[in-house]
Amino acid sequence: DAGVIQSPRHEVTEMGQEVTLRCKPISGHNSLFWYRQTMMRGLELLIYFNNNVPIDDSGMPEDRFSAKMPNASFSTLKIQPSEPRDSAVYFCASSLGGQGGYSNQPQHFGDGTRLSIL
Amino acid sequence: DAKTTQPTSMDCAEGRAANLPCNHSTISGNEYVYWYRQIHSQGPQYIIHGLKNNETNEMASLIITEDRKSSTLILPHATLRDTAVYYCIVRVATNFGNEKLTFGTGTRLTIIP
């Protein structure tokens, strides 16, 4: 079975450029999560969606970051303009989430996008 | 979600059982214990989760104490590929709108040849 697919795997760009990270969740999963990992702060949740609707974006660092989920099989995380402090590994995860009831289903992660802003 | 405490690092000989402890003394009755691991440069990998009964799957076993204040992840026959950072996370079996995982610093497990 295909897992969570992220692209690109690596991205190097100059400060000020727009960066778009992409994620395809596991088919049938209805919750999608974007995380960021750095040495200093570890793994942090940025935003998550349930049934394509953003539920909690309190982890999004600032207005330069935006995320969309136009359909159940695709999501993007965009940074515009990018800054060197945005350099990190960005992970996407998906799960079969709750729909008004309880869910204990685990999240499954992609292999991440390693982003370097020069 | 309840806070967890794990040792910073552990070593285990190849072929032996690796036992990774986790304390979660403030766990609530509806909170599950999840274990993930992260091998260098890869995304976190789900291992196992449980509520109060012991659980086993093809990767590992999870032993939860009767008072649920601590648990142990057991890798029965550790291999070099099990070298990774292991995270113990406690999370409520949540309803809609509160599904995030909070990762701590985990245990760095090194399998020794």
Side-chain angles (χ1 to χ4, degrees), chain B residues 24-77:
Chain B
H24 31 79
S25 59
T26 59
I27 193 170
S28 299
N30 64 348
E31 288 182 311
Y32 280 72
V33 180
Y34 293 79
W35 283 84
Y36 285 77
R37 73 181 182 183
Q38 188 171 24
I39 297 170
H40 181 62
S41 81
Q42 297 182 18
Q45 179 187 24
Y46 164 74
I47 302 173
I48 198 167
H49 73 285
L51 182 64
K52 55 183 177 181
N53 297 321
N54 298 337
E55 302 287 344
T56 296
N57 63 20
E58 66 278 5
M59 289 181 67
S61 294
L62 174 60
I63 308 299
I64 303 174
T65 58
E66 190 170 344
D67 63 7
R68 301 187 68 240
K69 293 184 177 182
S70 65
S71 61
T72 301
L73 177 74
I74 301 173
L75 308 178
H77 304 287

Side-chain angles (χ1 to χ4, degrees), chain B residues 102-113:
Chain B
T102 301
F103 286 82
T105 54
T107 296
R108 183 172 298 277
L109 175 67
T110 302
I111 306 302
I112 309 297

Side-chain angles (χ1 to χ4, degrees), chain A residues 31 33 35 37 43 45 48 50 55 91 97-98 100-107 109-111, chain B residues 32 34 36 38 41-44 46 49 87 91-101 103:
Chain A
S31 288
F33 307 79
Y35 289 85
Q37 186 172 35
L43 265 163
L45 178 69
Y48 82 90
N50 185 270
I55 301 302
F91 291 104
Y102 287 104
S103 170
N104 65 0
Q105 294 303 302
Q107 295 177 23
F109 287 74
D111 282 334
Chain B
Y32 280 72
Y34 293 79
Y36 285 77
Q38 188 171 24
S41 81
Q42 297 182 18
Y46 164 74
H49 73 285
Y87 297 97
R91 198 207 80 184
V92 65
T94 186
N95 57 352
F96 178 73
N98 187 23
E99 301 172 74
K100 66 181 181 181
L101 295 173
F103 286 82

Side-chain angles (χ1 to χ4, degrees), chain A residues 3-78:
Chain A
V4 174
I5 299 172
Q6 293 187 244
S7 65
R9 288 298 311 278
H10 303 275
E11 175 87 11
V12 180
T13 191
E14 292 186 347
M15 181 175 65
Q17 297 297 307
E18 178 180 292
V19 173
T20 299
L21 311 181
R22 297 173 175 80
C23 176
K24 177 179 171 56
I26 293 172
S27 178
H29 283 187
N30 63 337
S31 288
L32 183 139
F33 307 79
W34 282 101
Y35 289 85
R36 178 172 68 175
Q37 186 172 35
T38 61
M39 288 293 293
M40 291 295 293
R41 300 175 66 90
L43 265 163
E44 304 174 282
L45 178 69
L46 300 178
I47 184 172
Y48 82 90
F49 296 81
N50 185 270
N51 292 328
N52 311 337
V53 176
I55 301 302
D56 182 356
D57 65 355
S58 59
M60 295 286 263
E62 48 196 277
D63 292 345
R64 298 184 296 106
F65 286 70
S66 62
K68 294 183 179 180
M69 192 164 186
N71 58 61
S73 59
F74 183 67
S75 177
T76 59
L77 178 67
K78 186 174 293 187

